[in-house]
Amino acid sequence: MVMTMLHHAGGCSRAELTKRTGLNRSTIAALVAELVDLGMAFEVEPESVVGRVGRPSPQVVPNPGLAAIAVYPDVDAITVGLVGLGGEVIRRIRFDTTRVPTVPETVNAVKAIVDGMRGEIDQSYSIAGVGVAVPALVNSADGRVLIAPHLGWRDANLARDLARALDYPVFAGNDASLGAIAESMFGVARGINDLVYLNGSASGIGGGLIINGSPLRGTSGYAGELGHTLVNSAGVRCHCGRVGCLETEVSMARLLAVLKLPRADQDDLDIALGVSRDPAVLAEVRRQIELLSEAISNFVNMFDPEIVVLGGFLGSLLSVGREQLTAAMIVRSMSSIGHTVAIERASLGSHLMMVGAAELAFAGLLDDPAGFVRGRRAHR
């Protein structure tokens, strides 16, 4: 519990740990000493505060030398990052692909990128494992990708193949669910117990739900396929077989088409939408925001969240059309809910999937710090 608090807060004082856990000071001192001895954390002297009475409590900081490798494969790029304990993205490398990568191509690209970082890793970091955020239905127990429609993957054992290539333990999960966790731990939804997260990428739209402080996973771990919510009964057919799904009607591909751009990362899209006065672009933005508000109002009515967080290109739509989106959502939602729910853009930006994927790799370390270290020492 203490290690998890340090990780998610990026460090805090012994006094704060005592207050948050309800444990006494001597117990906290003993637990902190154990974490320091394990190499999980260290203590630093706090900065003096003018006018403060008494000796300030030492700051306990997670060891940034403990890190995870994060991987995010998408239809147009493979992104690999190095994330330190405490949620800091130390390194992020995006490898643009000329076509949708296969599983073997993804494994080879990730291995090449990680091999390029080996010198830095071996010199400065101890790797807890590899976390992979996949736009797919993923069996979180074994990291097997059941189906990734946009990537064209089916029944792919990505975690196993990456583990063999990298010689690290590998864990995989759905990208949007991991995005929700990242924003709730480190982003705009920190400290909020109930949230709906929607992520828009080149692969489509995925969703993640945090209900009463815990991720909503469902019986098989596949809850949150919010991109397949009906928003237009007269729309186009989705790859799932239905007509008018959210991700077919609200899509990055449609935005890029009217912007006449072959591809764009989030920053490029923000700029393009922000400066465009092309009537076709403005009309498409209004159309997508209208349909997005239809979906969000349904999610607000169903889950009664404190906040709806929009990531990826959906965040770009929010930036240029907040008033339209908020007004439409309020009209469609039950008034007592629609007037109080906040709609915010994901604050982690391009680091979001790196931070979310890393949480998978850090899970074992946080659950049992002493056991993690014993296992590492035995492995050596």
Side-chain angles (χ1 to χ4, degrees):
M1 179 173 63
V2 171
M3 190 66 243
T4 300
M5 285 182 179
L6 293 177
H7 169 54
H8 290 155
C12 49
S13 67
R14 283 197 203 177
E16 187 177 354
L17 290 171
T18 301
K19 180 180 179 180
R20 291 176 63 182
T21 62
L23 301 172
N24 61 45
R25 287 184 295 175
S26 61
T27 300
I28 287 296
L31 290 171
V32 168
E34 183 179 357
L35 290 172
V36 171
D37 183 60
L38 290 169
M40 294 283 177
F42 58 89
E43 292 189 275
V44 296
E45 286 300 318
E47 295 181 4
S48 59
V49 179
V50 177
R52 182 169 181 168
V53 178
R55 186 173 183 271
S57 176
Q59 287 289 119
V60 188
V61 182
N63 183 354
L66 290 168
I69 293 170
V71 178
Y72 178 41
D74 208 344
V75 297
D76 59 349
I78 298 166
T79 307
V80 178
L82 185 65
V83 183
L85 204 60
E88 178 191 1
V89 177
I90 301 160
R91 192 82 58 242
R92 177 180 174 271
I93 299 170
R94 176 185 165 105
F95 173 69
D96 290 327
T97 57
T98 56
R99 56 187 175 83
V100 177
T102 64
V103 172
E105 287 169 347
T106 299
V107 172
N108 290 339
V110 172
K111 184 178 187 308
I113 294 170
V114 172
D115 285 348
M117 296 192 292
R118 287 284 184 185
E120 179 184 12
I121 291 172
D122 292 344
Q123 181 177 354
S124 304
Y125 301 99
S126 177
I127 299 300
V130 179
V132 189
V134 191
L137 287 180
V138 181
N139 185 323
S140 56
D142 61 8
R144 189 163 45 90
V145 177
L146 299 184
I147 181 169
H150 297 283
L151 290 169
W153 301 355
R154 185 182 292 271
D155 197 25
N157 210 323
L158 179 64
R160 180 201 63 194
D161 294 349
L162 274 174
R164 289 173 178 174
L166 302 177
D167 197 26
Y168 291 126
V170 178
F171 311 90
N174 173 262
D175 61 340
S177 295
L178 295 174
I181 291 170
E183 281 293 329
S184 70
M185 297 300 181
F186 299 99
V188 70
R190 177 181 282 186
I192 291 177
N193 286 327
D194 295 277
L195 71 98
V196 172
Y197 170 75
L198 287 173
N199 182 66
S201 72
S203 293
I205 294 177
L209 301 163
I210 306 290
I211 304 298
N212 197 26
S214 299
L216 183 65
R217 303 188 188 279
T219 303
S220 304
Y222 308 140
E225 283 298 311
L226 304 182
H228 295 286
T229 299
L230 174 67
V231 294
N232 183 9
S233 59
V236 299
R237 187 168 297 279
C238 178
H239 63 81
C240 73
R242 303 175 68 193
V243 171
C245 287
L246 175 63
E247 74 166 38
T248 60
E249 298 299 317
V250 178
S251 77
M252 180 182 283
R254 290 187 178 215
L255 289 175
L256 293 178
V258 293
L259 288 167
K260 299 179 175 58
L261 293 173
R263 64 176 65 204
D265 63 18
Q266 194 166 320
D267 293 337
D268 294 334
L269 194 60
D270 284 351
I271 295 170
L273 292 178
V275 302
S276 178
R277 295 297 176 265
D278 185 332
V281 173
L282 298 178
E284 179 60 20
V285 167
R286 285 195 298 270
R287 188 193 70 83
Q288 292 205 21
I289 288 176
E290 184 72 11
L291 293 170
L292 179 60
S293 70
E294 178 76 26
I296 291 176
S297 63
N298 285 332
F299 303 148
V300 168
N301 288 337
M302 284 189 286
F303 302 112
D304 188 17
E306 297 175 63
I307 188 172
V308 176
V309 181
L310 301 180
F313 81 87
L314 299 182
S316 300
L317 288 176
L318 177 63
S319 293
V320 298
R322 177 182 288 273
E323 290 185 7
Q324 179 192 347
L325 181 59
T326 303
M329 190 206 72
I330 290 173
V331 169
R332 291 189 171 100
S333 302
M334 295 170 59
S335 60
S336 60
I337 300 173
H339 285 289
T340 59
V341 67
I343 305 179
E344 297 294 341
R345 184 170 188 173
S347 62
L348 295 177
S350 60
H351 288 176
L352 179 66
M353 290 305 165
M354 299 293 94
V355 174
E359 285 298 288
L360 289 174
F362 286 136
L365 179 155
L366 297 175
D367 285 345
D368 184 8
F372 175 83
V373 172
R374 283 196 301 270
R376 281 299 176 89
R377 289 170 179 170
H379 180 70
R380 290 172 184 168

